[in-house]
Amino acid sequence: MPIYNFSAGPAVLPKEVLQQAAAEMLDWQGSGMSVMEMSHRGKEFMSILAAAQQDFRALFAVPDNYKLLFMQGGAIAENAIVPLNLLGRGGRAQPATSDYINTGSWSTKSLKEARRYGNVNVAASSEDSHFAQIPDRDSWQLSKDPAYVHLCTNETIDGVEYQFTPDVAAETNNAPLVADMSSHILSRVVDVSKYGVIYGGAQKNIGPAGLTLVVVREDLLGPGYALPACPSAFNWKIVADNDSMYNTPPTYAIYIAGLVFQWLKKQGGVAAMEQRNIAKAALLYDCLDASDFYRTKIASSCRSRMNVPFFLADDALNDVFLSGAKERGLLQLKGHKSVGGMRASIYNAMPLEGVQALVAYLQEFEKQRG
């Protein structure tokens, strides 16, 4: 029986990637070493790092005036690292105000962390709708000169995804747009040039937990941006100047990420993956929309292609539903504890067959219990 893992993260990895990693576990390409045993400054790992950097830049279409950083701590750590690196914008003696758009659980965590380092203006929030939508762009109350404007472009828990890139420059004195793209990076084509900073944890679409990617425009590095209190290991300029090797990087996570990048290239790249993701999401949402037994809460204009929360008509059936799903090899469908219900995460590595199997089970369960 095939197994389909719908976990929100750490998430499913391509089978081919896991098979290659298993084959190379004890001896990477005749080196006599596992990647986990290599010196991070040895020629073997340096070649792995260089290939991963080159492949990501090509897949994500990173412009030449942006640095790619491989860091640690996940997106939660970056919630602190972002303000530490940007609140000094313009050489301010005091930390500047930052603007946040609150669209869900991860946006909320981000802005709470930022408040430790400076003033936060919540320029818009959909909390009053229980995060069922993106606030209308016309309703945003942006600051005139913030250090940056922050978004979470896909809310893993709440299932909200931006289907547009907001233009904030004219209203904010060209403040950089900063985006947490942890749960949909490499799942859709992105115009990187419209952002000052893009960051994300790897454990959704890229690889195992432990690696964080940061794409930052070069003019945002260094004096005039980072606060003096920013730790050296978190200072983007120092990390960039040392090619992500200021401290020992998460070597094995980078290796797996590199294998995923190679796999993505074989699939046709990000544009091809986006079309697959559109088809997978449409199949699942069409099934849910056609039913009175299941319901979704997210406005159709901002439904996530990656994370699909849904609810049964009777919560008393949740355990029965999950038990039946497990018997059919459909794993990790329980919703986040903060919102309840169910959640299917259908990242790049989830094949269409997995979504088809889930839809078949949804229809079967409704016939039995509806």
Side-chain angles (χ1 to χ4, degrees):
M1 180 178 64
I3 300 297
Y4 298 110
N5 176 11
F6 293 92
S7 173
V12 61
L13 287 166
K15 184 177 181 180
E16 297 93 324
V17 167
L18 294 175
Q19 289 172 333
Q20 182 174 349
E24 295 178 338
M25 173 60 76
L26 298 180
D27 183 0
W28 181 79
Q29 298 187 6
S31 67
M33 297 178 288
S34 169
V35 174
M36 287 186 285
E37 301 173 305
M38 292 176 179
S39 166
H40 63 292
R41 300 193 185 279
K43 63 182 177 61
E44 295 87 359
F45 180 74
M46 292 297 289
S47 70
I48 292 172
L49 176 67
Q53 292 170 329
Q54 180 178 343
D55 287 343
F56 179 84
R57 294 188 74 99
L59 284 164
F60 205 49
V62 179
D64 291 341
N65 63 324
Y66 284 72
K67 294 293 188 181
L68 169 61
L69 314 179
F70 287 163
M71 300 182 69
Q72 295 152 305
I76 285 183
E78 287 300 321
N79 288 341
I81 295 170
V82 165
L84 285 169
N85 276 276
L86 293 180
L87 283 180
R89 180 176 178 239
R92 293 169 171 85
Q94 296 296 324
T97 293
S98 54
D99 281 10
Y100 278 70
I101 313 301
N102 189 9
T103 54
S105 300
W106 293 110
S107 299
T108 301
K109 287 180 182 291
S110 297
L111 68 90
K112 285 183 177 178
E113 187 68 22
R115 282 181 173 141
R116 296 174 179 268
Y117 306 98
N119 296 322
V120 170
N121 169 46
V122 181
S125 176
S126 56
E127 188 172 6
D128 59 352
S129 71
H130 302 286
F131 300 121
Q133 60 190 28
I134 303 288
D136 289 339
R137 175 63 183 86
D138 292 341
S139 71
W140 296 12
Q141 300 295 313
L142 297 164
S143 303
K144 292 183 178 180
D145 189 25
Y148 59 90
V149 179
H150 182 281
L151 317 170
C152 178
T153 48
N154 186 76
E155 291 279 0
T156 318
I157 293 174
D158 302 278
V160 171
E161 183 174 13
Y162 280 78
Q163 304 300 336
F164 67 99
T165 301
D167 183 358
V168 300
E171 298 170 62
T172 61
N173 192 24
N174 293 313
L177 187 62
V178 177
D180 175 359
M181 293 192 181
S182 293
S183 50
H184 72 165
I185 196 167
L186 296 182
S187 73
R188 62 189 301 153
V189 175
V190 171
D191 185 349
V192 176
S193 68
K194 293 184 177 181
Y195 297 86
V197 182
I198 294 171
Y199 68 94
Q203 64 272 19
K204 318 290 188 180
N205 270 319
I206 292 177
L211 170 65
T212 308
L213 283 81
V214 179
V215 178
V216 53
R217 204 172 63 223
E218 288 180 347
D219 64 289
L220 301 178
L221 300 174
Y225 282 92
L227 296 177
C230 182
S232 298
F234 296 160
N235 186 299
W236 290 336
K237 179 170 173 50
I238 292 175
V239 177
D241 287 348
N242 287 273
D243 197 25
S244 299
M245 301 279 280
Y246 179 73
N247 60 337
T248 305
T251 54
Y252 199 76
I254 292 172
Y255 159 69
I256 297 293
L259 297 185
V260 172
F261 300 155
Q262 294 171 18
W263 176 82
L264 282 170
K265 290 168 63 179
K266 293 176 183 177
Q267 307 310 304
V270 173
M273 293 307 305
E274 180 171 15
Q275 294 307 307
R276 295 187 195 181
N277 290 327
I278 290 172
K280 290 187 298 184
L283 178 63
L284 182 50
Y285 281 118
D286 285 349
C287 172
L288 296 171
D289 289 342
S291 169
D292 292 327
F293 186 77
Y294 304 105
R295 57 190 174 89
T296 59
K297 298 180 179 180
I298 305 304
S300 59
S301 61
C302 56
R303 286 172 165 177
S304 173
R305 298 173 188 167
M306 297 286 97
N307 310 102
V308 184
F310 62 94
F311 302 84
L312 278 61
D314 183 356
D315 287 342
L317 294 174
N318 285 355
D319 289 342
V320 178
F321 176 88
L322 291 168
S323 178
K326 186 176 181 179
E327 291 173 0
R328 290 159 178 79
L330 308 173
L331 307 182
Q332 302 291 328
L333 284 167
K334 187 175 182 180
H336 191 271
K337 62 183 179 180
S338 65
V339 296
M342 306 297 158
R343 175 176 52 171
S345 293
I346 50 176
Y347 300 120
N348 283 346
M350 174 58 64
L352 177 63
E353 293 78 10
V355 181
Q356 291 171 332
L358 174 57
V359 166
Y361 175 58
L362 289 168
Q363 295 169 339
E364 174 191 346
F365 192 82
E366 181 177 5
K367 288 180 181 178
Q368 294 175 347
R369 300 285 181 167

